[in-house]
C-alpha cells in the first residue's frame, strides 16, 4: 500500500529568474569595466560569474523537471534530477574554488598590481548582487540540496567579491599586493567546508543512501514496536528527490491484516515524526513463507 501525504513543492521559478537576471547584468558590467580598464582579473572573474549563471540555470531546470508529473515509464517522474543537479553543482563549485586557489597561489609568488579603485568599485557591486541572490535561496537551502548548490555558488561569489573589496582597500593604503591572493585563499577555505558537505550529501542521495536527516534507528524501533508486528524485513529508505523521502518495508504480523486504517496511521506517523512522505508497506502473516522476499530471515523469526 502506498500513500504520499505531502507532494507540495515550493516554486522557485521567480527566485531563479531574478537571480539569473541579476548575475547576467553583473557579468556584463564586470566584463565592460574589465575591457575599459584593461584588467584581465576583472575579465576572468566575469567568466567565472558566467559559470554561476550556468549553475543557476542547471538548478532551475532540475527544479522545474521535478514538478513534472510521473508517467508510465518514469513512475517517479523527474524528481531524481534534482539530486543529479546538486551533485553536478557541487563538482562545478569545487573546480571553481580550485581555479581561484590556483590563481591566488600564482599571485603570491608573482604579485600583479591591481587597479585598486576600479576593482573595489566593481567588486562592491558584485557583493551586493551576489548577496541579494544568495538571500533569495537562504531559506530553501536548509531543506533542498539542489537549492543549497545554487546558494553556495552565490555565497562563494559574495565572499570572494567581499574579499576583493577588503584586499583592494588594503592595497590602496599599504601597497601590499600579496593581501589580495591571501584573502582569496582564506575565503576559499571557508567555502570549501560547505562544498564538501554538499558533495557528500548529494553523492549519498545519488546512490540511494538513507538521507542524513532521517533517524533510521528510530524508524526501525517504531516499526518493530508496533502491536502484532513480530518482525520487519526489506526496509529501505531513500530520497526520491532533494526534498522527498520514500520508504518501503515488509511487516510480519501475528494478525491476518493490520487493516487499511492502521496502515494509514503508520504512514501518517512516519510522515509527521520522521519526515517520510511516501511509504509503501507490505503486511505478511507470521509463518506464511509464500510471500516473503527474505525467506531465510523470516524462517528464523
Amino acid at each position: 500500500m502506498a500513500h504520499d501525504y505531502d507532494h507540495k513543492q515550493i516554486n522557485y521559478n521567480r527566485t531563479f529568474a531574478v537571480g539569473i537576471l541579476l548575475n547576467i547584468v553583473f557579468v556584463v558590467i564586470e566584463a565592460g569595466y574589465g575591457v575599459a580598464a584593461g584588467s584581465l582579473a576583472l575579465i576572468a572573474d566575469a567568466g567565472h560569474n558566467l559559470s554561476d549563471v550556468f549553475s543557476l540555470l542547471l538548478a532551475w531546470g532540475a527544479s522545474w523537471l521535478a514538478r513534472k508529473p510521473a508517467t508510465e515509464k518514469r513512475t517517479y517522474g523527474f524528481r531524481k534530477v534534482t539530486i543529479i543537479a546538486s551533485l553536478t553543482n557541487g563538482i562545478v563549485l569545487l573546480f571553481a574554488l580550485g581555479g581561484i586557489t590556483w590563481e591566488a597561489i600564482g599571485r603570491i609568488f608573482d604579485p600583479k598590481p591591481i587597479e585598486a579603485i576600479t576593482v573595489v568599485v566593481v567588486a562592491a557591486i558584485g557583493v551586493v548582487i551576489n548577496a541579494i541572490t544568495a538571500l533569495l535561496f537562504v531559506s530553501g537551502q536548509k531543506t533542498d540540496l539542489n537549492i543549497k548548490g545554487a546558494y553556495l555558488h552565490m555565497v562563494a561569489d559574495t565572499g570572494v567579491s567581499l574579499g576583493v573589496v577588503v584586499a583592494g582597500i588594503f592595497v590602496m593604503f599599504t601597497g601590499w599586493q600579496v593581501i589580495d591572493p591571501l584573502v582569496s585563499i582564506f575565503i576559499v577555505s571557508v567555502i570549501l567546508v560547505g562544498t564538501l558537505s554538499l558533495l557528500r550529501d548529494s553523492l549519498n542521495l545519488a546512490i540511494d543512501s538513507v538521507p542524513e536527516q532521517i533517524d533510521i534507528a528510530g524508524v526501525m524501533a517504531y516499526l518493530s514496536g508496533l502491536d502484532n508486528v513480530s518482525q520487519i524485513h526489506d526496509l529501505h529508505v531513500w530520497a526520491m528527490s532533494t526534498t522527498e523521502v520514500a520508504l518501503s518495508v515488509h511487516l510480519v504480523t501475528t494478525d491476518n491484516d493490520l487493516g487499511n486504517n492502521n496502515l494509514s496511521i503508520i504512514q501518517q506517523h512516519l510522515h509527521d515524526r520522521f519526515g517520510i512522505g511516501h511509504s509503501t508497506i507490505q503486511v505478511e502473516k507470521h509463518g506464511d513463507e509464500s510471500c516473503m522476499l527474505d525467506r531465510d530471515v523470516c524462517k528464523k523469526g
Side-chain angles (χ1 to χ4, degrees), residues 141-161:
Q141 62 92 22
K142 297 177 182 178
T143 55
D144 188 338
L145 278 183
N146 185 42
I147 301 301
K148 183 178 181 179
Y151 170 76
L152 282 178
H153 272 277
M154 294 302 100
V155 169
D157 275 356
T158 303
V160 171
S161 296

Side-chain angles (χ1 to χ4, degrees), residues 92-276:
V92 171
L93 185 55
L94 195 63
F95 275 102
L97 294 177
I100 295 171
T101 303
W102 180 263
E103 177 67 18
I105 292 174
R107 291 195 176 194
I108 290 176
F109 294 100
D110 183 22
K112 291 181 172 58
I114 63 173
E115 299 178 26
I117 296 179
T118 301
V119 170
V120 167
V121 171
V122 175
I125 296 173
V127 170
V128 174
I129 291 178
N130 288 317
I132 290 174
T133 307
L135 287 174
L136 293 174
F137 297 104
V138 69
S139 60
Q141 62 92 22
K142 297 177 182 178
T143 55
D144 188 338
L145 278 183
N146 185 42
I147 301 301
K148 183 178 181 179
Y151 170 76
L152 282 178
H153 272 277
M154 294 302 100
V155 169
D157 275 356
T158 303
V160 171
S161 296
L162 182 60
V164 170
V165 171
V166 173
I169 294 174
F170 203 93
V171 169
M172 287 171 61
F173 287 97
T174 66
W176 294 357
Q177 305 289 340
V178 74
I179 293 298
D180 181 38
L182 288 178
V183 170
S184 297
I185 290 176
F186 172 75
I187 293 171
V188 165
S189 300
V190 174
I191 297 171
L192 182 62
V193 176
T195 303
L196 292 177
S197 174
L198 172 67
L199 279 171
R200 182 198 64 219
D201 293 342
S202 299
L203 182 59
N204 282 336
L205 295 190
I207 60 175
D208 288 336
S209 298
V210 176
E212 189 72 21
Q213 75 275 16
I214 299 299
D215 177 14
I216 188 64
V219 171
M220 294 176 67
Y222 165 68
L223 293 174
S224 299
L226 290 171
D227 292 339
N228 299 322
V229 173
S230 61
Q231 182 183 347
I232 67 171
H233 66 93
D234 290 287
L235 171 64
H236 301 285
V237 180
W238 71 98
M240 297 167 62
S241 71
T242 51
T243 59
E244 299 171 277
V245 180
L247 170 149
S248 66
V249 65
H250 288 226
L251 302 181
V252 181
T253 71
T254 55
D255 195 358
N256 287 330
D257 190 358
L258 284 179
N260 286 342
N261 184 53
N262 286 332
L263 287 177
S264 294
I265 292 174
I266 294 171
Q267 290 170 321
Q268 186 68 55
H269 188 83
L270 289 172
H271 173 273
D272 295 343
R273 179 179 173 186
F274 299 104
I276 299 173

